[in-house]
Amino acid sequence: MGRLVEKTRAFIESRHVLWGVFLASLAETTVVPIPIEVVLIPVMLANHTRTWRIALFTLLGCLTGASLGYLVGYGAYEAVGEPFMSAVGADDEFARYTEKLEGDGFWYVLMIALTPIPFQIAYVGAGVVKMPFLVFLAAAIVGRGIRYFGLALLVRILGATAGPWLERNQYRIAMWATGIFIGGFTLYQVVS
C-alpha cells in the first residue's frame, strides 16, 4: 500500500499531472460518478504553483466530455443516450430538463453546470433539443469554469483546510448558486 501511495504522490507532483487531470475530468464528465472536486483538492494542494492550470485542464477535460455527450444527444440518443440515462437512473430528471432546455437552454445548462445535478442531463439534453452548440458551450464554460476556478481560488486562500471547509459548506454553496441562478434568470425574464 505504501508503494501505491508513493507512486500516486510522484504522479501528482510530476509534469504529467495536467494531462492526468484532463483525463480524470473527461472520465468524470462522461461515466465516472465521483465528483472531480474530490480529486482536485489534493492535486491542487500538491501543485500550489499550478493551481490555475489544473483548473484549466479540468475545464478542458469536462468540455471535451460534454461535447461528446452533446453529439450523442444530437445524433444517437435512442441508441446510446437513452440506455445511459436509464442506467444512471436519470430518466425522469432528463425528461423534465429536456423540456426546459427547449425554452431557455443557456440558463438551464448554466444552472446544471453549477449545481450537483448530473451534468450528463445538460449535455445530452442540449443535443437532443438541438440547442445551438456554441450557446451550449458558452453556458458550460461559464458554469463549470466557476466551479473549477472557484475551487482553485478556495485552495489558494484556505490551503489544506479547503477540503473540510467545502465538505461542511457544500449544501450552502449549492443553495447560494441556485439562488443566484434563479435571481439572474428572473432578471433576464423581466428585461427581455
Side-chain angles (χ1 to χ4, degrees):
M1 185 69 155
R3 209 174 144 157
L4 177 62
V5 170
E6 210 173 283
K7 284 188 177 226
T8 303
R9 182 173 303 249
F11 177 75
I12 287 173
E13 295 172 355
S14 77
R15 61 186 175 95
H16 303 293
V17 74
L18 295 176
W19 291 109
V21 167
F22 174 89
L23 292 173
S25 181
L26 175 65
E28 185 264 344
T29 301
T30 53
V31 293
V32 178
I34 299 169
I36 192 73
E37 288 83 358
V38 172
V39 174
L40 286 181
I41 291 173
V43 170
M44 287 178 172
L45 286 170
N47 293 278
H48 200 62
T49 59
R50 297 191 284 180
T51 305
W52 304 115
R53 283 182 280 172
I54 291 168
L56 176 63
F57 274 71
T58 305
L59 179 60
L60 293 174
C62 176
L63 295 175
T64 302
S67 297
L68 293 171
Y70 175 93
L71 292 173
V72 166
Y74 194 90
Y77 180 69
E78 287 80 23
V80 180
E82 200 165 29
F84 177 77
M85 288 301 162
S86 291
V88 297
D91 299 65
D92 294 337
E93 276 184 285
F94 182 74
R96 198 169 46 249
Y97 282 104
T98 302
E99 191 175 292
K100 294 176 182 190
L101 281 166
E102 289 178 320
D104 293 301
F106 177 88
W107 293 102
Y108 283 99
V109 170
L110 178 62
M111 178 192 70
I112 293 169
L114 286 170
T115 62
I117 297 168
F119 198 45
Q120 291 87 347
I121 292 171
Y123 61 69
V124 173
V128 167
V129 301
K130 311 283 191 264
M131 181 179 176
F133 180 72
L134 292 179
V135 173
F136 160 74
L137 198 58
I141 289 169
V142 171
R144 288 298 166 136
I146 289 170
R147 279 181 72 158
Y148 303 143
F149 284 94
L151 182 63
L153 180 62
L154 196 64
V155 168
R156 297 286 293 210
I157 292 170
L158 297 177
T161 62
W165 184 88
L166 190 60
E167 192 173 311
R168 280 192 317 272
N169 293 292
Q170 67 183 339
Y171 294 109
R172 187 174 296 136
I173 293 167
M175 294 301 291
W176 273 98
T178 303
I180 291 168
F181 166 77
I182 291 171
F185 183 72
T186 303
L187 182 63
Y188 165 77
Q189 292 290 357
V190 169
V191 172
S192 59

